[in-house]
């Protein structure tokens, strides 16, 4: 093993260890307050905040922090905007779902009587918005390909035609990865021993799905901005369209996030699945 | 929601079948509602796939759910009342022809229905 690789391994191990400890640093009362805030945001009843829930929140926090920190390190060394950071966030959330302990075989269990799909966990408009954001990159690439051009065309020769196509595909790839991770989370078996357990798991699944959608947001934004550099090569009125798309995305993505919070998006799962698990 | 209690003397497939049947009959699961896939429900409840598949088959046999290939298993629509309405119209025409009063006609129907009533559902055998 070369010295550089050894340094990397040690560095990553330290970061993982640090982030793991970070999640456990808070005092018990702070952890409980944080868990209560999480429960309120998810629309869980106050009674859901027991010791198991506090531990569940702390565990998720550790996984997400580890993912974000690892993503941050990769972001420092790889020129990929903040994509690794958000990928780390999403993968941390998925890893947290994978770490959900199994129930002993002789334990009573409960399950949803209806087929809980992606739309049960996040509002449909959020999925449509994610698809629209992912379509912006390909739209810019098509615009650049079909619109009348200014002369000279190669104002940004560093972005070749092949790279343009690759960026457009990367935008769609971001959506595919997001939806793939989200579906993976939603389709995993739920091990719940009571309606309250099932509700808590639903709430964390919904959060993991939202975290997975962050990948689409950041990949779409990155590809759209890079492709937006070619907007100067577009002639005629379509040039304004090409110039506006990255701006629309830059404003639209935070707006979608805010709208999601204000329309009780984190509690969406409860409207769709909560009747079955109503615990108070 | 469906529960499964491994300590219950009721067989696992019957626990699943009975709960789904009750929810469909009570209208908690409305027609068209998609049930979880057999594999998913088996995974959630920690049961064998065949156990859940048997429960679904019995529900389908009882007309409570229908399997639509790739669309999965959905709660069946309620019984078609138009057939019963046609029969009732025929019956009304016949009793009018015979000169029976409405009260007597209803009394006759009630008697026949009560005689053919299968009674409360028997507990299913394992």
């Amino acid at each position: 093993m070369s010295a550089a690789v050894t340094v990397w391994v040690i560095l990553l191990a330290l970061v993982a260890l640090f982030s793991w400890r970070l999640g456990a640093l808070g005092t018990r009362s702070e952890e409980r307050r944080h868990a209560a805030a999480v429960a309120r945001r998810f629309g869980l009843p106050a009674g859901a905040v027991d010791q198991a829930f506090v531990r569940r929140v702390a565990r998720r926090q550790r996984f997400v922090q580890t993912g974000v920190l690892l993503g941050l390190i990769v972001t420092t060394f790889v020129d990929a905007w903040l994509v690794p950071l958000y990928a780390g966030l999403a993968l941390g959330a998925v890893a947290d779902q994978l770490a959900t302990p199994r129930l002993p075989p002789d334990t009573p269990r409960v399950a949803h009587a209806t087929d809980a799909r992606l739309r049960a966990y996040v509002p449909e408009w959020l999925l449509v918005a994610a698809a629209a954001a992912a379509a912006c990159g390909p739209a810019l690439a098509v615009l650049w390909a079909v619109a009348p051009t200014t002369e000279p065309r190669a104002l940004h020769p560093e972005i070749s035609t092949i790279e343009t196509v690759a960026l457009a595909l990367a935008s769609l790839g971001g959506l595919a990865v997001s939806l793939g991770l989200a579906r993976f989370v939603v389709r995993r078996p739920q091990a719940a021993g009571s309606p309250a357990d099932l509700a808590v798991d639903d709430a964390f699944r919904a959060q993991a799905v939202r975290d997975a959608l962050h990948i689409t947001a950041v990949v779409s934004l990155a590809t759209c901005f890079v492709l937006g550099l070619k907007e100067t090569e577009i002639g005629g009125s379509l040039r304004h369209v090409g110039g506006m798309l990255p701006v629309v995305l830059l404003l639209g993505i935070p707006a979608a996030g805010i709208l999601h919070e204000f329309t009780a998006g984190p509690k969406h799962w409860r409207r769709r699945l909560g009747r079955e698990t109503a615990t108070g | 929601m469906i529960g499964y209690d491994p300590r219950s003397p009721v067989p696992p497939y019957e626990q699943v079948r009975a709960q789904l049947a009750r929810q469909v009959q009570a209208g908690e699961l409305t027609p068209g509602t998609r049930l979880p896939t057999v594999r998913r429900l088996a995974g959630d409840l920690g049961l064998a796939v065949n156990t859940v598949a048997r429960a679904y088959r019995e529900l389908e046999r009882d007309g409570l759910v229908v399997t639509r290939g790739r669309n999965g298993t959905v709660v069946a629509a309620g019984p078609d009342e138009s057939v019963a309405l046609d029969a009732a119209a025929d019956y009304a025409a016949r009793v009018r022809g015979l000169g029976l009063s409405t009260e007597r006609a209803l009394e006759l129907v009630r008697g026949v229905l009560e005689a053919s009533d299968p009674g409360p559902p028997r507990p299913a055998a394992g």
Side-chain angles (χ1 to χ4, degrees), chain A residues 125-213:
Chain A
W125 69 262
L126 198 63
L127 296 171
V128 173
C136 281
L140 268 178
V142 169
L143 203 62
W144 175 77
V146 302
T149 59
T150 56
E151 293 296 338
R153 184 161 186 141
L155 271 174
H156 289 279
E158 69 275 15
I159 308 168
S160 65
T161 304
I162 291 174
E163 283 168 335
T164 303
V165 173
L167 283 167
L169 291 176
S171 189
L172 296 175
L175 179 67
V177 169
S178 280
L179 293 180
L181 284 175
R183 290 204 172 103
F184 173 74
V185 166
V186 166
R187 287 177 181 171
R188 289 197 73 243
Q190 282 182 294
S194 69
D197 286 351
L198 194 59
V200 166
D201 194 63
D202 281 336
F204 280 101
R205 276 176 183 231
Q207 183 60 48
V209 169
R210 288 192 293 274
D211 291 339
L213 290 178

Side-chain angles (χ1 to χ4, degrees), chain A residues 5 14 34 58 67 74 89 95 100 106 115 117 135 141 150 155 159 178-179 186 192 220 251 253:
Chain A
V5 173
L14 282 174
H34 176 61
V74 177
L89 167 73
T100 305
D106 57 343
D115 192 14
R117 297 197 168 194
T150 56
L155 271 174
I159 308 168
S178 280
L179 293 180
V186 166
S220 304
L251 297 174
I253 287 173

Side-chain angles (χ1 to χ4, degrees), chain A residues 56-78:
Chain A
R56 180 81 173 77
V57 171
R59 191 188 74 201
R60 182 190 136 78
Q61 205 174 350
R62 282 196 295 272
F63 271 108
V64 168
Q65 282 171 347
T66 306
V68 168
L69 274 167
L70 290 174
L72 199 59
I73 289 175
V74 177
T75 305
T76 319
F77 292 96
V78 179

Side-chain angles (χ1 to χ4, degrees), chain A residues 228-267:
Chain A
L229 292 174
K230 295 177 83 67
E231 158 260 335
T232 50
E233 295 176 10
I234 299 171
S237 57
L238 286 175
R239 181 172 178 167
H240 299 295
V241 178
M244 283 303 289
L245 263 181
V247 179
V248 167
L249 210 55
L250 185 64
L251 297 174
I253 287 173
I258 292 166
L259 186 66
H260 179 262
E261 289 294 324
F262 275 93
T263 54
K267 297 173 186 169

Side-chain angles (χ1 to χ4, degrees), chain A residues 108-109 111 115 186 190 276, chain B residues 1-2 4 7 34 40 44:
Chain A
R109 293 191 182 206
D115 192 14
V186 166
Q190 282 182 294
E276 286 189 76
Chain B
M1 196 172 60
I2 307 174
Y4 162 60
R7 289 164 299 196
R34 198 193 309 261
R40 171 67 193 269
D44 286 356

Side-chain angles (χ1 to χ4, degrees), chain B residues 38-40 42-43 47-55 57:
Chain B
V38 168
R39 194 171 293 278
R40 171 67 193 269
L47 295 171
V49 171
N50 285 343
T51 303
V52 177
R54 182 177 176 188
R57 270 199 310 275

Side-chain angles (χ1 to χ4, degrees), chain B residues 38 56-57 59-60 65-76:
Chain B
V38 168
Y56 277 24
R57 270 199 310 275
L59 288 166
E60 190 165 13
V65 302
V66 285
T67 301
R68 291 179 183 164
R70 287 187 65 202
N71 286 328
T73 305
V74 297
V75 175

